[in-house]
Amino acid sequence: MARRRYSVFALAREALRYHAGWERAWNSPAPKSRYDVIIIGAGGHGLATAYYLGKNFGITNVAVLEKGWLGGGNTGRNTTIIRSNYLQDPSAAIYEKARSLYETMSQDLNMNVMFSPRGVIMLAQTEHEVRGYQRTAHANSLQGVQTEFISPARVKQLVPIMNIDGPRYPVLGGLWQERGGTARHDAVAWGYARACSGMGMDIIQQCEVTGIRREGGKVTGVTTTRGDIGCSKLGIVVAGHSGVMAEKAGFRLPIESLALQALVSEPIKPCMDVVVMANTVHGYMSQSDKGEMVIGGGTDGFNNYTQRGSFHHIEETLRALVETFPVISRLKMLRQWGGIVDMTGDRSPIISKTPLGGCFVNCGWGTGGFKAIPGSGWAMAELIAKGEPGPLAAEFGLNRFAEGRFIDESVAAGVAH
Amino acid sequence: MSDPATPLNGAHYAGYVTIAEAAPRGMITLRGDLGDKGFAKVVKAVTGLALPGQREFAAKGDFAVAWMSPDELLVLCTYDRANAVVADLTAQLGDLHSLAVNVSDARALIEITGDDAREVLAKLAPVDLSPGAFGPGQIRRSRLAQVPAAFWMTDTGFQLVCFRSVADYVFEALSTVAQPGSRVGALV
Amino acid sequence: MLILRCPYCGVSGEETEFHAGGEAHLKRFGPGSSDAEFEAYLFQRENPKGVHFERWRHVNGCGKWFHAARCTATLEVFGTYPAQSTEPPADLRKAISAKRPGWKWREFS
Amino acid sequence: MSRRIQQGGRLIDRAQRESFAFNGRQMSGFAGDTLASALLANDQMMMGRSFKYHRPRGPVASGAEEPNALVGLSAGARFEPNQRTTTTEIYTGLTARSQNHWPSLDYDIGALNGFLSPFLPAGFYYKTFMHPRPLWKALFEPVIRHSAGLGKAPTEGDADRYEHFYFFADVMIVGGGIAGLQAALAAGRAGAKVLLIEQTAHWGGRAPVDGVMIGGKPADEWIAATLDTLNAMDNVTLRSRTMGAGVYDHGYALAYERCEDAVPQARGPRHRLWRVRAGQIITATGAIERPLSFPGNDVPGVMLASAVRDYLVNWAVAVGKRTVIVTNNDDAYRTAIALHDAGEAVPVIVDARPDAKGPLPERARALGIRIEQGCGLSGVKGGKRVTGAQICRQSGAGAVIEEVPCDAIAMSGGWSPVVHLWSHCGGKLTWDDAQAHFRPDPSRPPIGHDGAGFVIAAGSANGEMLAGACLQDGDAAGKAAIKALGLKAKGGAIAQAEAEGEHPMMPVWLMPADATPELKMKIFLDYQNDVKLSDVQLAAREGYESVEHTKRYTTLGMATDQGKLSNINGLAALSQALGADIPDVGTTTFRPPYTPISIGSIAGEARGPIFQPIRQTPMHAWHSENGADFEPVGQWRRPYCYLRDGETRADAVTREVRNTRQAVGLLDASTLGKLVVKGPDAGKLLDLVYTNMMSTLKPGNCRYGLMCNDNGFLIDDGVVARIDDQTFLCHTTTGGAERIHAHLEEWLQTEWWDMQAYVANLTEQYAQIAVVGPKARTVLEKLGGMDVGRDTLPFMGWAEGELAGIPARVYRISFSGELSFEVAVPASRGQEFWNKCLAAGAEFGIMPYGTEALHVLRAEKGFIMIGDETDGTVIPQDLGLNWAISKKKDDFIGKRAQQRSHMTDPNRWKLVGLETLDGTPLEDGAYAIAEGTNANGQRKTQGRVTSTYYSPTLDRGIAMGLVLNGPDRMGEVLEFTRTDRPPQHARIVDAVFYDKEGEKQNV
């Protein structure tokens, strides 16, 4: 069951026989009648949860159910930014855990996910933002997150194409995380899927969960378009559709589903080496290895499951970026798309037990899900394995909303992209 | 009293249409129950104009009255009389629950004139400005580029009101899209 | 880019004239309510994939708040009505039932 | 060689020469040429290099679908990378450079990748470059990045401008071919408001090129006549050079008009982005021919048969001297016949079908053109240009039967309707077996705001491949749109079109059918991204079975043409590899835009000075003329300080603070929100929105109030003045004016709609000027007109009257701790009053101060600032503001929230003053360090700095902060973080640093 390793030597060997010898990256079995653990959702978070269940807790009798194709949700639709320069302790902890796991992910999974620690700058363009990011830098220094507040000159040096004395919002500095960056989003899902398969787990695509079976307040399994499947523990990891799945499980979540948009330009030769986020003007941009400028837009204000956002958000974002990076004005938008993100009451995620015994939920990552994938999976696996949250997940329980104990990142003048 | 300092100091731009600050005008926000007979009477008595219907703009002599919302009118009068008209309205409305305030200085009044005035406005406002869809006697509150604005038609084009603090922005935005060589020619 | 009709000024305007205000017909719980009631009021949301009742304000217009019944799966707008109402008008609910038989939304369905 | 021929060329004007430069070489063409046709006329076949292997590439198409022939246009502030030569109209002075090669187009080092291609299959990079770890960022990634990318990045801002245009139509028709024109006729006649757009500069689409006869006359005549008819209709708007870029929800569509691309020196906008709102949208966007998948199908000179025909008929350019045709359908014979009629050599037509005997093949035979049936190509001779075609049996493994010398190959794999716009907003497709393509499924259209479909496909975009049927279908579409709009369709004849019928095509997804693995590695599916048939098969083998997986794994269809040529062929290859039917494998999603559109056009007019509104107070001009160093506060610009010669910002702030404390200062406070609330229930409303009691406030008096949201957090504060029994004037923060106005309206309209209270925002009606300092009263008294004495106008009182002849309302309130008057005058008199204050105050040393001095002054007094002491997580209780929270009220917004366990937790951090031991200021945002670490290994904290300043008055650093049990720990010394330096020690003290008794503001 173990997968043959990927390496330059394997490539050379296969080149001599027209690459006829490559095996499947992941298996595609029919569902068994029951599993110890079922994870609903084969996106990055779901697959990572399964992976760490196996790797950290030796739980491998696991099925990951996916209604469409693995990695086909937000994992394949985001702008691939990875950073952990968050203000609040619980956020910084889980995002930094994720970031550090990204550092070695290619080697851990034996699949090159192209983690590129090229550095992330969050621009400060008002006095208020300067103070906000200085605060974050102080917090990060105590959280073990390597960040620094840098001068406009340093910003310009890192991003020569940036107009730092824009007439409207001159750049007053930036919060710089040198080990932040990007990764190849699809490869993250594929790598986890391949590794899970390697541990004997079943990844079952085209298998939609239509109901959640319960008995005496405990979960007993799921009904799916490919039949009933039993389980003793269930993890719901279906960003964008968390509310819908929660309803099937008989509880409600403090979540609304909104469309978030992104776009890429046509590919050009390298002109920007770092990731830039400009929150005052709501735009962020990086350049993919392929050469496309990858640009993130804003979320709509209304509930939406169509994966189509409203065009004026694209317009606002590009307006801001043309002002910040005048050279992109004559580039062309190649492709725009949308995804459905779930937003919680405090815009921070939920990794929590639920009113239903044996059922755990991981959702609410809003616009910040991709960067969290390994940390989220790590914490969710611990929650499922032990039945109680570990330190990474402790603060992200559902109970915080009743207690008024919020984890609010917006306070640092930052948006959680 | 000295001439009031207007937001744009009488700015004027001649593109393929003309953008210009209008002469100062008295403007009054009048809130109350538009369904109430007494309210209508007072408006008539003070302005000589009947209560406008939904999204209507009516003018007569020095006065104009515009329908802003189900419980709000914009009353226009000569600039110098605004406070007097407010006092008059307030007095006549008496106990009737209502609010009349002078907002003349809180607003900028801009004129867009020329054959292509419609299409210049249509470059910034998400409104159907074709002759069949919008005409004299109507007022439309909407978005002009990035700020709220309201406009109505005159014999020569449009008058537009926006907040005083963004007068420069609105004037510049209109002038930018009114530059020579920018004619669309699709709203005739 | 939605089109919505403001029931107050009669304008059918594009989305950018309006501001979305989230789920409609929430009952406010104040002092004296239980933690559960209060949490539900502030945070628990229907968030259905289907018929949704929501609040909008005609912010670049007459400034009035109103309610819309909209399908979150197709973005079809079934109708709009004044915000001064504690539940969707009967005729609108009937119209929705004709288009979405068996729709459910809180106690109104 | 390719060249211009003597006769023909329906789109060029031989009378008007245009000269341009390609890679520095001067060339010339005719008005009406595209850059591609002009280059071909100059025998410049090779126009670019491919993305991955840097293979030589020439144009394969003649329009928007072109993947290969991309160039960098113009230079400097007008440079544009990746522009298609096939859609670029030439003009004198145009300069173009080919891309993605070094050192030159002909000799490119990157072409080495080609030789390595066996080692670089799809996704090779996922399988290697993993060790040693640091090398990915240091070496592998930079190498990959530099060999990837296409055109160069622009190096300057954009010299051109752009604009938007809102347009409303009953019917928007995309595509000016005969179907679109006929649809416009039908809709126009019925009186609907019609917008018809065409992406090229010419109307009529393919019909004229295909030699279609309409109503017995050449198509061009019918097109001209139809345009006249449409132009005569007031209700119809025609727009060429305007592309339907995207279809969005509720009938919203983007039309991308290229106004000045052809004449870049003109004054107008370069592009105009139409934001169309249409009741019904008809997509008459035509169809795109598919390449055939045979070895060597990417060599320059291999072209779509329709493109070869276009270049010949439209631009009088013969792509080759000897053109071999390879096809699986009848349409390609039109190209053979057209070439033959133009006197060009067509050595052979290679038809994959066992027998070709439709009317078109028969005509070709009659003309004596050789036809090889049941055959295909197993190879193409030549590197940078076709030199020969190798014929084989289609059914076999590719053994070469014959090699035919030629310099061009025209291929046709059948046609695919352009379904992009139909699909953008959720329209579904259905597979047409006979024509082997996806076409719109009319039963599953995009759904509009009313739940009904709002897009109708017409003509070949709807799978109708013959001219006659296109006209019929266009008419039907126009009438269907009319019906959907509830209008009445009018009659009007539909012209009949004659064109030879076509016999069925034969789907050919692989040529030859049993091609060896070696051959498959020479068959290109996606030309720009160098995706080969073998790559798709590899993806399938490795389990990337979803079409989305294959696309992402191989990058098929992800190039700048977005798979217009490659999608169906790739999909077919995938379904063959999976042994599944094409419709079961499904298509990838079509995303806007149809072809790439300039980012500048999306940004529109909003750049430079009008990028965003800059809100200005009535004294804004004076500030900028008097040294104001502005800071953005929301959309406002406020003077941070007023710089004098040689002063630093810090110097200026110190001077302004000292002067205000010692003499008198002047502050432009106009940005503060001013909301009037009037009505019988005004007091009741304010009691609910403020935490403290406002209904008990006496007319003539002022009271400081706090506002929370229903989640309990502090959102705004300000002074409320009671004007009369029923009227209050509420001051908000600068950022609060609109927000709090909306907040009040929201509660009034949606929760307490039975309350009788009206709110109006008077913020901009007044200029508000604070006269602050020991000499403040003296200055006002000098202005004269009102008694501002301590007894007639006591602290926290207000009065109305005239100052210096200007109507004024004077509030005796202080945010600085000094004797202070805030004077509101009509905005139109603000500058006048400001000037009079300066004049009157001159002898007392009056000077203006900015926001930073304002902050320091308030901090010295321990006053909180929304946005500094609050950040959305702070409740009034944290700030020791319990005195401003009424205990008497059963309810106010936020009261219930503040009873939750975490809000009543005694261990919440509370506001205190902080005094560093060494006197230097604490750093902004510094945290107070506690012992030990938490479960996640993070250092524990026990507080943080919320405001920190150098106090000129006390000549030391002062700060406020939130500290665990702070108020009970007075005198304790805490450690605060410092950037790159050891922690700084500060003592917990009372937050009021100056004039604790508050005597000064009371004088």
Side-chain angles (χ1 to χ4, degrees), chain A residues 19 24-25 70 107 112 116-118 135 138 168 184 186 267 269 289 308 315 329-330 332-333 336, chain D residues 82 100 118 126 130 137 141 148 151 158 160 248-249 275 541-542 545 552 597 600 613 637 871 977:
Chain A
H19 300 277
R24 296 182 59 95
L70 70 89
Q107 294 70 29
N112 188 351
S116 169
R118 55 182 62 183
R135 176 182 168 189
H138 281 286
R168 189 64 179 80
R184 179 79 181 86
D186 294 319
K269 293 297 178 186
D289 287 345
R308 294 190 302 270
E315 192 179 309
S329 177
R330 290 178 93 90
K332 300 189 225 63
M333 173 171 81
Q336 66 167 101
Chain D
N82 304 333
N100 200 36
Y126 297 124
M130 286 175 276
K137 172 148 188 286
E141 184 180 43
D158 192 336
D160 287 314
Y248 301 83
D249 289 290
R275 284 97 74 82
R541 188 178 309 128
E542 293 192 85
E545 293 165 340
R552 290 153 180 264
I597 64 177
R637 285 295 174 82
D871 63 3
T977 52

Side-chain angles (χ1 to χ4, degrees), chain A residues 5-8 11-12 15 18-20 22-26 28 69-70 76-77 87 89-90 92-93 103-104 106-107 110-112 114-118 125-128 131 134-135 138-139 141-143 167-169 184-187 190 205 265-273 281 287-292 295 308 311 314-315 318-320 322-323 326-338 391-392 401-406 408 411, chain D residues 51 77-83 100 118-119 121 125-131 133 136-137 141 145-151 153-158 160 162 164 248-249 254 270 275 424-425 517-518 521 529 538 541-546 548-549 552-553 558 560 562 591-593 596-600 602-603 606-608 611-614 631 634-635 637 649 711 713 867-868 871 873 900-902 923-927 935-936 938-939 941 944 977:
Chain A
R5 289 189 64 75
Y6 289 159
S7 71
V8 65
L11 260 178
Y18 306 109
H19 300 277
W22 293 113
E23 60 193 340
R24 296 182 59 95
W26 53 79
S28 177
W69 44 280
L70 70 89
R77 295 167 186 274
L87 173 68
D89 285 350
E103 291 262 9
T104 57
S106 297
Q107 294 70 29
N110 178 231
M111 165 92 98
N112 188 351
M114 304 179 208
F115 172 63
S116 169
R118 55 182 62 183
Q125 295 178 283
T126 66
E127 298 291 341
H128 184 257
R131 289 193 292 272
Q134 286 173 334
R135 176 182 168 189
H138 281 286
S141 70
L142 298 173
Q143 293 158 339
R168 189 64 179 80
Y169 291 112
R184 179 79 181 86
H185 55 10
D186 294 319
W190 300 340
Q205 304 182 75
S265 76
E266 295 181 329
I268 49 172
K269 293 297 178 186
C271 67
M272 189 168 103
D273 295 334
V281 292
Q287 185 172 23
S288 73
D289 287 345
K290 204 163 173 292
E292 301 156 325
I295 292 169
R308 294 190 302 270
F311 189 75
I314 298 278
E315 192 179 309
L318 290 182
R319 206 191 275 157
V322 168
E323 200 62 16
V327 302
I328 71 169
S329 177
R330 290 178 93 90
L331 299 183
K332 300 189 225 63
M333 173 171 81
L334 173 61
R335 182 170 72 250
Q336 66 167 101
W337 65 92
L392 280 178
F401 295 95
E403 297 165 8
R405 182 178 42 81
F406 306 107
D408 189 339
V411 311
Chain D
F51 190 90
R78 289 203 156 86
F79 173 74
E80 178 185 16
N82 304 333
Q83 184 56 299
N100 200 36
F119 300 91
Y125 31 76
Y126 297 124
K127 295 174 176 154
T128 180
F129 302 135
M130 286 175 276
H131 301 279
R133 184 154 70 84
W136 172 254
K137 172 148 188 286
E141 184 180 43
R145 284 187 73 195
H146 283 83
S147 64
L150 273 178
T155 54
E156 296 176 35
D158 192 336
D160 287 314
Y162 304 82
H164 296 152
Y248 301 83
D249 289 290
L254 290 182
R270 175 174 173 238
R275 284 97 74 82
H424 283 167
C425 199
E518 189 180 3
M521 290 184 78
N529 277 356
L538 173 62
R541 188 178 309 128
E542 293 192 85
Y544 297 87
E545 293 165 340
S546 148
E548 280 290 347
H549 282 155
R552 290 153 180 264
Y553 189 63
M558 297 184 83
T560 62
Q562 289 287 285
R591 311 270 184 208
I597 64 177
S598 66
I599 283 173
I602 298 169
R607 53 208 303 173
F611 159 53
Q612 275 181 13
I614 295 180
E631 70 163 323
Q635 290 186 321
R637 285 295 174 82
R649 275 179 142 205
N711 203 11
F713 298 117
D868 289 344
D871 63 3
T873 68
R900 290 173 299 187
S901 60
H902 185 65
E923 290 187 13
D924 269 307
Y927 275 79
N936 289 314
Q938 300 168 315
R939 184 68 187 264
T941 56
R944 63 179 180 90
T977 52

Side-chain angles (χ1 to χ4, degrees), chain D residues 911-992:
Chain D
L911 189 76
V912 292
L914 297 165
E915 224 168 47
T916 53
L917 303 194
D918 64 7
T920 63
L922 288 158
E923 290 187 13
D924 269 307
Y927 275 79
I929 306 164
E931 280 315 304
T933 58
N934 66 19
N936 289 314
Q938 300 168 315
R939 184 68 187 264
K940 287 186 181 162
T941 56
Q942 56 179 325
R944 63 179 180 90
V945 171
T946 56
S947 301
T948 169
Y949 303 95
Y950 164 73
S951 161
T953 313
L954 288 73
D955 186 28
R956 64 177 344 286
I958 62 168
M960 280 188 267
L962 292 163
V963 173
L964 177 64
N965 304 323
D968 313 329
R969 297 166 66 182
M970 286 298 154
E972 225 179 285
V973 173
L974 302 178
E975 281 191 340
F976 285 86
T977 52
R978 237 185 331 184
T979 311
D980 306 328
R981 279 187 299 170
Q984 190 173 11
H985 293 80
R987 180 177 289 105
I988 300 176
V989 296
D990 178 2
V992 184

Side-chain angles (χ1 to χ4, degrees), chain B:
Chain B
M1 123 178 195
S2 62
D3 283 351
T6 59
L8 291 163
N9 300 314
H12 179 283
Y13 173 79
Y16 79 102
V17 306
T18 299
I19 316 294
E21 179 174 35
R25 198 91 208 269
M27 293 183 234
I28 294 154
T29 290
L30 177 59
R31 298 196 61 181
D33 177 358
L34 271 53
D36 183 290
K37 297 249 181 314
F39 183 87
K41 264 206 204 65
V42 172
V43 171
K44 176 87 182 168
V46 174
T47 66
L49 285 158
L51 219 54
Q54 190 183 58
R55 299 205 314 283
E56 284 177 6
F57 180 93
K60 188 159 139 208
D62 289 345
F63 282 100
V65 181
W67 188 96
M68 301 293 275
S69 90
D71 61 6
E72 180 176 345
L73 299 177
L74 179 66
V75 175
L76 289 87
C77 59
T78 56
Y79 182 82
D80 293 348
R81 286 207 54 222
N83 284 325
V85 174
V86 167
D88 197 358
L89 285 165
T90 310
Q92 294 200 38
L93 286 164
D95 296 345
L96 208 59
H97 172 44
S98 61
L99 169 66
V101 282
N102 180 356
V103 294
S104 316
D105 283 6
R107 308 257 193 280
L109 186 60
I110 297 173
E111 281 180 331
I112 304 133
T113 52
D115 296 347
D116 295 310
R118 286 178 178 274
E119 71 166 42
V120 165
L121 211 44
K123 292 178 182 184
L124 300 176
V127 176
D128 187 351
L129 284 152
S130 53
F134 189 82
Q138 291 174 283
I139 180 168
R140 181 70 153 84
R141 302 177 72 178
S142 183
R143 172 179 63 83
L144 191 107
Q146 299 173 52
V147 296
F151 49 80
W152 57 86
M153 295 199 73
T154 63
D155 307 342
T156 53
F158 291 83
Q159 283 196 329
L160 176 146
V161 285
C162 63
F163 283 110
R164 182 187 191 103
S165 62
V166 295
D168 262 9
Y169 168 77
V170 169
F171 184 85
E172 284 307 315
L174 286 165
S175 305
T176 301
V177 297
Q179 287 177 60
S182 317
R183 184 168 186 276
V184 186
L187 276 190
V188 283

Side-chain angles (χ1 to χ4, degrees), chain A residues 112-267:
Chain A
N112 188 351
V113 301
M114 304 179 208
F115 172 63
S116 169
R118 55 182 62 183
V120 175
I121 302 177
M122 298 174 86
L123 297 180
Q125 295 178 283
T126 66
E127 298 291 341
H128 184 257
E129 240 179 341
V130 169
R131 289 193 292 272
Y133 287 140
Q134 286 173 334
R135 176 182 168 189
T136 306
H138 281 286
N140 290 163
S141 70
L142 298 173
Q143 293 158 339
V145 177
Q146 295 308 315
T147 63
E148 60 178 312
F149 188 83
I150 59 175
S151 68
R154 181 81 193 287
V155 171
K156 179 70 178 177
Q157 176 196 3
L158 287 160
V159 194
I161 64 170
M162 191 188 299
N163 173 21
I164 63 164
D165 28 48
R168 189 64 179 80
Y169 291 112
V171 172
L172 305 175
L175 183 65
W176 168 237
Q177 182 172 27
E178 192 169 12
R179 296 301 291 181
T182 61
R184 179 79 181 86
H185 55 10
D186 294 319
V188 171
W190 300 340
Y192 274 124
R194 178 164 169 267
C196 288
S197 272
M199 288 188 285
M201 299 178 179
D202 288 351
I203 294 155
I204 303 162
Q205 304 182 75
Q206 307 297 325
C207 176
E208 180 169 6
V209 171
T210 53
I212 291 173
R213 304 196 339 256
R214 302 163 255 172
E215 241 176 64
K218 272 193 95 301
V219 66
T220 62
V222 295
T223 58
T224 78
T225 49
R226 294 178 65 173
D228 290 4
I229 314 175
C231 68
S232 21
K233 287 180 173 180
L234 179 68
I236 299 176
V237 194
V238 292
H241 288 70
S242 307
V244 175
M245 200 52 69
E247 194 197 354
K248 298 185 199 301
F251 54 89
R252 283 202 300 172
L253 291 169
I255 277 194
E256 307 216 53
S257 300
L258 308 176
L260 171 68
Q261 299 179 83
L263 67 114
V264 294
S265 76
E266 295 181 329

Side-chain angles (χ1 to χ4, degrees), chain D residues 662-718:
Chain D
Q662 290 154 19
V664 56
L666 206 54
L667 176 78
D668 180 355
S670 307
T671 59
L672 291 185
K674 307 162 201 71
L675 308 175
V676 63
V677 181
K678 183 190 175 195
D681 299 321
K684 192 169 150 202
L685 172 68
L686 296 189
D687 282 348
L688 280 162
V689 296
Y690 283 96
T691 60
N692 40 355
M693 193 74 86
M694 287 298 171
S695 51
T696 56
L697 182 62
K698 300 261 170 301
N701 287 358
C702 299
R703 183 171 292 162
Y704 173 76
L706 304 172
M707 276 192 205
C708 296
N709 56 23
D710 226 3
N711 203 11
F713 298 117
L714 189 51
I715 57 170
D716 207 67
D717 68 346

